[in-house]
Amino acid sequence: MRTEVLRKLHGWDARNVTEDADLGMRLACAGYEVGDLPSATIEEAPNNLPAWLHQRVRWMKGFLQTTVTYGRRPAETCRQLGRLDALCAVTLLPGAVASALVYPIFLVWAGADFLLQEIPAAPEPWPNLPLAVAITLFLAGSAALVLPAALGCIRRGWWDLLWFVPGMLLYFALVSVAAWLAVIEFVRAPSRWNKTEHGLSRTSRSGLLRPRRPAA
């Protein structure tokens, strides 16, 4: 990013614990297009649950901070972004936190309805429509959670990791824990920065997880 652009926008909010979310919104509101490069990241991921949880709590809290910052004047923010981009921002920032908060509740609720109760079938098609829509949304949502991870493993040749992909349903339950902790921390310690400890993973030097080669 060009230095003069950052100076023009006065940088980013130093108190926001997800500065990239704040800067992305700041750029978008100023009329710049924000995107990402279709390339692999060499950033090291946390390799244990406490480090991962601290990172996700920070991300979720930063989403809340960004939401509050740009939600103070919603009409102005909507005008700067445009209606469609404003809808995308709401979906990405507060929507991500809200969906994480309620994910376990609706997952257990849907599982109990579909697995433990008999699904009635009416003789006419229209009475079955609400149930059919519910089942379709549940299956489509579950696929949206699992398929991106599976596709990433396939594209990189990490076939041994495909076995862990169904665990994404449990993974997002842990994200819900992070979201609830983030809400609490947002109220009690809004400026606390949970730094992620790096240099622990076996991939921390190369940044590449190479696919396993079959034995000769």
Side-chain angles (χ1 to χ4, degrees):
M1 183 181 300
R2 299 178 66 89
T3 305
E4 56 266 27
V5 174
L6 282 176
R7 290 177 176 173
K8 179 181 178 181
L9 299 177
H10 306 289
W12 52 76
D13 186 355
R15 296 182 179 273
N16 191 312
V17 297
T18 52
E19 72 286 350
D20 50 352
D22 172 75
L23 184 57
M25 283 293 296
R26 194 180 296 258
L27 288 165
C29 289
Y32 292 92
E33 291 188 2
V34 181
D36 58 81
L37 299 176
S39 61
T41 177
I42 59 173
E43 181 181 2
E44 177 190 356
N47 70 342
N48 58 70
L49 182 58
W52 177 90
L53 188 61
H54 287 160
Q55 184 185 68
R56 293 314 189 274
V57 170
R58 174 167 57 85
W59 289 358
M60 290 291 180
K61 186 173 72 172
F63 285 0
L64 290 173
Q65 291 175 325
T66 306
T67 299
V68 171
T69 298
Y70 294 92
R72 291 170 180 169
R73 295 181 291 273
E76 180 180 349
T77 301
C78 185
R79 178 184 59 79
Q80 292 173 336
L81 294 177
R83 294 180 180 178
L84 181 58
D85 287 347
L87 177 62
C88 293
V90 170
T91 303
L92 179 63
L93 295 173
V97 179
S99 62
L101 291 175
V102 301
Y103 171 79
I105 300 173
F106 283 97
L107 180 64
V108 173
W109 188 359
D113 282 347
F114 294 153
L115 300 178
L116 302 181
Q117 298 183 16
E118 182 180 357
I119 300 178
E124 299 295 332
W126 289 112
N128 292 318
L129 183 60
L131 180 61
V133 171
I135 295 176
T136 301
L137 291 176
F138 178 78
L139 294 178
S142 300
L145 298 180
V146 172
L147 291 181
L151 183 60
C153 292
I154 294 172
R155 285 180 174 178
R156 292 184 172 273
W158 299 342
W159 305 103
D160 56 313
L161 297 183
L162 280 174
W163 297 101
F164 297 96
V165 168
M168 293 298 294
L169 298 177
L170 175 61
Y171 171 87
F172 282 100
L174 293 175
V175 173
S176 180
V177 174
W180 281 104
L181 292 176
V183 171
I184 296 172
E185 190 171 293
F186 178 71
V187 175
R188 301 184 60 182
S191 298
R192 179 186 298 166
W193 195 296
N194 296 317
K195 298 293 290 184
T196 303
E197 186 178 2
H198 292 290
L200 303 177
S201 173
R202 64 185 176 89
T203 63
S204 60
R205 299 305 177 191
S206 66
L208 296 174
L209 180 58
R210 302 184 183 280
R212 294 180 180 177
R213 294 182 178 180

